[in-house]
Amino acid sequence: MRRFVALYRRLDRSTATSDKRAALVDYFRTAPPADAAWALWLLAGGKIGGAGARIAGSGELLAWIGEVANLPAWLVEECRAHVGDLAETLSLLLDDPAAHDDTPLHVWIEDRLLAVAGQDAAARRELVTGAWAVLDSEQRLVFNKLLTGSLRVGVSQRLVQQALAELGGIDIALIAQRMLGAWQPGPGFLAQLLSPQQTAADRAQPYPFFLASPLEAPAGTLGDIGDWLLEWKWDGIRLQLIRRGAEIALWSRGEERLDGRFPEIEAAARQLPHGCVIDGELLAWPAEAAQPLPFTALQTRIQRRKPGPKVLAQAPARVLAYDLLECEGEDWRARPLHQRRDALQQILAACADPRLQLSPAVAAADWSQAAALRDSARERGVEGLMLKRRSSPYQAGRRRGAWWKWKLDPLSVDAVLLYAQSGSGRRSTLYTDYTFGLWRDDALVPVAKAYSGLSDAEILELDRWIRAHTTERYGPVRAVQPLQVFELGFEVVNRSSRHKSGIAVRFPRVLRWRRDKTAAEADRLETLQALAR
Amino acid sequence: MPADADDLVIATPAGLYCPAGDFHVDPWQPVARAVITHGHGDHARPGMGCYYTSAAGLPILQWRLGAQDYRAFDYGEPFALGRTRVSLHPAGHVLGSAQVRIECGGTVWVVSGDYKRQPDPTCAPFAPQSCDVFVTEATFALPVYRWPETAAVARDIVAWREECAARGEAAVLFCYALGKAQRLLAELRAHTDQPALLHGAIAAGVEVYRAAGVELLPTGTVAEQAPRGGGYAGALVLAPPSAAGSPWMRRFRRVQTAFASGWMQVRGNRRRRHVERGFVVSDHADWPALLQSIEQSRARRIIVTHGAGDALVRLLGERGLAAGTFDTRFGSED
């Protein structure tokens, strides 16, 4: 594991992307394939064990470290709240052993961790505490991160893919495509990933999604509006619909197969010609309705592997198609958007199924008319406009320049800070996760949690304020005197029976600190309820 | 913790106060008689009528506070204040740092000031004092704070400088100007003989230590060395944390930054400071050292003055000791 720990340390220390990439190339060039395959798995965000093959839950880890380090549970919890990261906390509470451990990464994972996964607690505890006893603090940190989830070492998927493309001398798009979906970490996969030839497995894979960037400059700077395709920005689930041979596959942007969850879409896709891949948005949208249902309706379907007739009737799904990535078995991504869209339109027209529709083009004569249309987005149940250059190829990942999302300005309310919890990563040891409330009668009801939007200086100041004005502590959470008012922005407000306030806000964030307002001047819950749909 | 009528030290708006001796310890408001534990700005402030200090700490107070009415005492040398007998004992924090031992009518209180238990070539080591009540700092009072061996950290600093040199970068190490900078220079002597360059705010304190006879790595000042050719590539530069992000940094065109502090034990702190490297070197007691010192004091009552005291107080309470806190204005810089 030493080599991988050294890579982790090098990645953790470097701030420049080029240094991180060089570290990755060095590692993959020299690491034994059996280890490198697991390193790739971990860097790509893969976990060890998981549902049904549990190695250690956070509660167990906290209990075990307390026993091993001879500390009461409350003190372990206090440490975790202070450090902000469970894996790091566990590694800091023990002293280093005298001996060195040189066991390779794949042996640790395959022969030890996976060997006890899902077994009784005593066996898992013995393995984990045994590892703590032989690993030094840097090794323990990485080992604990294998247990608790992601590495979080500032390496994006794309950076790993760049390093592998550089190492193998192959196109990054091919690497990215091969890494989509489920794969088994092993020397075989690594060899196939770096193979310069097209392989049979390549044919079953989706393409990496092309993601739009938020438009920050005025739309007028984009030039002639005639060069741009305008579409509504739908608030659903981005997906790829693959029709290859007998196979139909739905892939979400989270690179998950949605097979079986949306049978009506799969049925509609059977009418598509073979060798066809469509990029679109999945929405809950009853046939007779003028607008899609809010995102919360779609959420009721994501987790159901086999939806019953009642669910299917309450939240029927529909795909609004944006793009055609593959046509008659040929990769069309390099062709200009207008060409891809023309072909898409013809395919959908021939298919004529209301569950597969073209995402309509929004007509605007100039940018000011477009801006007026964007302002109407909320009443249409969309998030804003998408702007896509008609000549653009379909790229991979979030690349600036050709595709922009032009979202509505957020809704906002003035809310009172009620609770604070320490953050994670760069913001651990600081109280940066805030819960805000609005007035209902003469009480404050929590309505939103928000993390971002304050400057570093404001975060520090607020952290000090929180510590000095704590009224009660519940584990890592502090209740504070309800005095500070913040303007919160959010995209959408939905009615929700799952929330105490009766509403759920989407993408809440702190817009600014309203030092000019007293808590009594904060908004009432009814104000937010009036915005709900 | 409710004060007893015969408590030797109580918390007052001006600072910790000893009624029986009619003096304050490290007060933050002007008072007549101030016993000073060490020269850091949050402990030694201007405006006191008379300053009681260790002899070893006198040059530091003279540098920081200028001409004042000083009374300097050797470590262990008792002096009378009011009805009390006071003596100063090494705290191992920085040059001249002292614990204040106060004895009155058979009762002994010790106010630790800031202290550490690791060896430090720049100052006398912490000398445990038996007492009835131990007033301790708690800057790093959580079990996640356990310091690595300083020699290993010094080797890491040298290796880091060499890495920077290979990349044509300067290695700017942020550290506090009084104590930490000098300790680093003393520790580095064993591992390198390449001089370090100093930011102006650090140079003065280094001279105070040298004049006191502490052996340090040879140093130059940043302003003296004009950046010809490679400029500052490969130089180890010590600068105060306030220099981070300031225009002063612009002279290092290619640079890596690091921070030397106990706070660097937690990665979140390092990332928050936007430095490439964090070196765990602290002038405060870590968790095991706090517990060790409390035990060695044999005190039956412990009062925590500043830092993350809540957890320590609760733990000591669970172990059957009377434990409480004093609200103070001492900082948690390290």
Side-chain angles (χ1 to χ4, degrees):
Chain A
M1 189 156 71
R2 294 197 161 275
R3 201 192 298 261
F4 183 64
V5 170
L7 169 67
Y8 178 86
R9 184 174 57 216
R10 210 174 140 189
L11 293 171
D12 187 39
R13 283 176 182 173
S14 54
T15 44
T17 308
S18 55
D19 290 342
K20 286 187 195 278
R21 187 163 57 229
L24 290 167
V25 172
D26 288 348
Y27 175 82
F28 283 110
R29 179 170 290 137
T30 53
D35 287 345
W38 281 109
L40 176 64
W41 173 261
L42 295 167
L43 289 166
K47 296 186 175 21
I48 307 294
R54 174 185 168 90
I55 295 168
S58 15
E60 288 176 322
L61 290 169
L62 289 167
W64 298 343
I65 197 77
E67 290 158 24
V68 172
N70 193 24
L71 295 169
W74 63 265
L75 187 51
V76 174
E77 186 48 57
E78 190 99 350
C79 290
R80 200 245 303 243
H82 176 76
V83 173
D85 179 286
L86 174 59
E88 188 182 350
T89 308
L90 299 173
S91 69
L92 289 174
L93 289 174
L94 298 169
D95 292 319
D96 281 355
H100 289 278
D101 178 83
D102 285 319
T103 311
L105 178 66
H106 77 275
V107 174
W108 268 113
I109 294 174
E110 292 168 17
D111 300 351
R112 300 184 183 179
L113 287 174
L114 294 179
V116 298
Q119 291 199 16
D120 62 47
R124 293 180 290 111
R125 182 188 187 280
E126 190 185 335
L127 180 97
V128 170
T129 56
W132 287 342
V134 297
L135 299 173
D136 66 33
S137 63
E138 285 189 327
Q139 289 178 316
R140 284 200 305 276
L141 175 63
V142 172
F143 175 83
N144 292 334
K145 285 194 174 279
L146 303 189
L147 302 176
T148 59
S150 65
L151 289 177
R152 287 192 191 212
V153 70
V155 172
S156 65
Q157 283 267 38
R158 186 169 172 81
L159 193 64
V160 178
Q161 291 162 359
Q162 281 173 349
L164 292 170
E166 184 181 328
L167 188 67
I170 43 178
D171 187 11
I172 184 168
L174 191 57
I175 298 265
Q177 190 184 351
R178 285 170 174 172
M179 279 178 66
L180 285 176
W183 45 274
Q184 281 305 312
F189 175 76
L190 198 64
Q192 187 241 317
L193 184 66
L194 296 172
S195 158
Q197 276 89 40
Q198 274 275 334
T199 64
D202 290 341
R203 300 285 308 130
Q205 289 291 87
Y207 295 101
F209 285 88
F210 182 19
L211 306 176
S213 307
L215 183 68
E216 278 141 13
T221 59
L222 297 177
D224 185 356
I225 197 169
D227 293 341
W228 294 84
L229 168 69
L230 278 56
E231 294 172 86
W232 296 118
K233 186 178 185 324
W234 301 104
D235 183 16
I237 297 172
R238 184 90 180 272
L239 100 174
Q240 226 173 96
L241 200 163
I242 298 176
R243 168 80 162 140
R244 283 178 185 141
E247 184 150 2
I248 287 173
L250 303 183
W251 289 84
S252 77
R253 214 195 93 189
E255 296 171 19
E256 248 185 310
R257 281 184 77 145
L258 301 172
D259 302 16
R261 291 175 196 190
F262 297 92
E264 68 268 56
I265 302 299
E266 290 184 36
R270 294 201 186 283
Q271 302 162 57
L272 291 170
H274 291 218
C276 160
V277 177
I278 288 172
D279 176 11
E281 190 94 5
L282 188 64
L283 294 158
W285 197 332
E288 69 286 0
Q291 286 187 7
L293 298 174
F295 186 78
T296 41
L298 196 58
Q299 268 178 327
T300 62
R301 300 227 15 207
I302 299 169
Q303 297 311 328
R304 285 176 211 262
R305 283 170 193 279
K306 284 202 161 61
K310 189 174 164 217
V311 174
L312 285 171
Q314 271 173 354
R318 180 187 296 191
V319 169
L320 287 204
Y322 296 133
D323 216 320
L324 183 67
L325 313 187
E326 189 173 306
C327 184
E328 294 175 355
E330 194 189 324
D331 181 354
W332 270 44
R333 290 177 299 161
R335 299 185 184 218
L337 172 61
H338 60 83
Q339 208 179 14
R340 299 197 305 271
R341 196 170 154 95
D342 286 347
L344 176 65
Q345 191 161 13
Q346 286 175 24
I347 287 172
L348 293 174
C351 170
D353 189 305
R355 292 164 299 188
L356 296 181
Q357 297 189 12
L358 186 69
S359 170
V362 176
D366 52 38
W367 289 116
S368 62
Q369 215 178 77
L373 284 162
R374 167 176 164 264
D375 289 340
S376 73
R378 196 160 276 126
E379 61 218 48
R380 294 171 192 268
V382 297
E383 293 184 312
L385 283 175
M386 295 295 301
L387 312 176
K388 299 176 181 170
R389 198 178 279 282
R390 291 184 188 273
S391 60
S392 59
Y394 191 94
Q395 303 176 67
R398 200 179 298 283
R399 324 290 302 152
R400 295 174 68 84
W403 284 21
W404 301 104
K405 48 184 177 188
W406 194 21
K407 293 220 246 183
L408 267 184
D409 291 331
L411 299 164
S412 70
V413 287
D414 292 329
V416 183
L417 178 65
L418 297 179
Y419 305 101
Q421 189 169 359
S422 53
S424 54
R426 193 164 81 81
R427 288 174 167 183
S428 66
T429 76
L430 288 177
Y431 285 92
T432 58
D433 295 2
Y434 315 118
T435 301
F436 298 96
L438 295 177
W439 291 104
R440 178 165 62 196
D441 303 325
D442 48 5
L444 286 159
V445 186
V447 293
K449 283 187 86 162
Y451 311 92
S452 62
L454 291 175
S455 71
D456 281 1
E458 285 175 322
I459 286 173
L460 278 176
E461 188 185 342
L462 188 54
D463 175 74
R464 277 196 297 273
W465 187 89
I466 287 164
R467 286 170 200 274
H469 294 84
T470 300
T471 55
E472 224 168 326
R473 298 177 69 166
Y474 318 92
V477 178
R478 284 173 184 240
V480 297
Q481 293 173 271
L483 295 173
Q484 297 294 341
V485 180
F486 293 82
E487 185 179 334
L488 303 185
F490 42 87
E491 300 298 321
V492 182
V493 189
N494 290 319
R495 297 192 187 285
S496 162
S497 53
R498 284 169 39 221
H499 294 77
K500 200 163 145 191
S501 59
I503 45 150
V505 296
R506 292 251 290 151
F507 304 122
R509 59 218 183 255
V510 178
L511 297 181
R512 62 195 165 118
W513 192 344
R514 294 297 305 259
R515 297 168 198 265
D516 54 321
K517 289 208 167 188
T518 64
E521 292 173 89
D523 282 312
R524 308 194 59 78
L525 184 61
E526 297 88 77
T527 313
L528 197 56
Q529 283 167 336
L531 299 169
R533 56 176 216 217
Chain B
M1 170 175 294
D4 288 346
D6 51 358
D7 276 359
L8 283 186
V9 178
I10 58 172
T12 72
L16 300 182
Y17 176 65
C18 173
D22 189 22
F23 65 90
H24 289 76
V25 179
D26 295 349
W28 42 84
Q29 280 172 21
V31 299
R33 279 166 301 283
V35 177
I36 302 297
T37 62
H38 66 284
H40 279 142
D42 51 338
H43 291 261
R45 298 173 196 252
M48 310 302 156
C50 176
Y51 290 82
Y52 294 80
T53 170
S54 72
L58 180 61
I60 290 180
L61 293 193
Q62 286 170 329
W63 161 46
R64 303 286 286 233
L65 302 174
Q68 303 282 352
D69 180 5
Y70 295 113
R71 314 282 163 89
F73 301 89
D74 286 336
Y75 286 129
E77 176 191 351
F79 52 98
L81 281 174
R83 294 188 284 115
T84 65
R85 187 168 178 268
V86 179
S87 54
L88 303 174
H89 303 270
H93 175 58
V94 297
L95 179 61
S97 63
Q99 309 171 65
V100 183
R101 182 180 184 280
I102 307 165
E103 190 179 339
C104 181
T107 301
V108 177
W109 284 49
V110 169
V111 180
S112 76
D114 291 339
Y115 67 96
K116 71 169 173 287
R117 305 300 301 266
Q118 282 187 308
D120 178 346
T122 70
C123 61
F126 181 93
Q129 304 297 310
S130 294
C131 54
D132 300 294
V133 183
F134 186 46
V135 182
T136 179
E137 68 140 315
T139 308
F140 292 104
L142 280 175
V144 293
Y145 292 105
R146 330 158 77 79
W147 306 144
E149 231 190 297
T150 317
V153 181
R155 284 194 296 275
D156 284 348
I157 293 174
V158 172
W160 169 62
R161 190 206 64 76
E162 282 162 5
E163 235 171 77
C164 290
R167 296 166 54 105
E169 294 164 336
V172 175
L173 179 55
F174 298 119
C175 53
Y176 284 100
L178 168 54
K180 189 66 59 64
Q182 295 79 5
R183 180 174 173 208
L184 290 169
L185 291 170
E187 292 282 356
L188 286 169
R189 274 180 78 237
H191 307 281
T192 180
D193 45 20
Q194 184 186 313
L197 302 182
L198 305 181
H199 181 283
I202 284 184
V206 166
E207 283 324 303
V208 173
Y209 269 60
R210 281 216 177 92
V214 181
E215 290 204 74
L216 303 176
L217 194 69
T219 54
T221 54
V222 170
E224 270 172 30
Q225 183 181 310
R228 282 187 303 270
Y232 292 102
L236 177 67
V237 181
L238 302 193
S242 58
S246 75
W248 181 83
M249 288 295 292
R250 284 191 209 134
R251 69 195 69 205
F252 308 106
R253 261 160 307 182
R254 291 178 53 77
V255 64
Q256 275 196 40
T257 55
F259 189 46
S261 164
W263 295 113
M264 295 298 103
Q265 179 88 328
V266 173
R267 289 161 70 245
N269 285 328
R270 168 170 69 73
R271 288 193 276 177
R272 192 144 57 74
R273 288 221 173 234
H274 300 292
V275 291
E276 272 92 7
R277 296 288 294 273
F279 295 106
V280 181
V281 188
S282 176
D283 286 329
H284 293 271
D286 62 3
W287 173 261
L290 287 170
L291 294 184
Q292 178 200 15
S293 305
I294 287 166
E295 195 181 322
Q296 288 179 344
S297 76
R298 295 159 70 185
R300 50 186 165 67
R301 183 171 158 206
I302 307 296
I303 304 173
V304 170
T305 55
H306 57 296
D310 296 355
L312 183 60
V313 168
R314 180 167 168 190
L315 188 83
L316 295 175
E318 288 182 2
R319 293 187 178 180
L321 286 168
T325 52
F326 273 159
D327 219 6
T328 65
R329 297 201 196 157
F330 305 136
S332 55
E333 286 180 349
D334 177 40

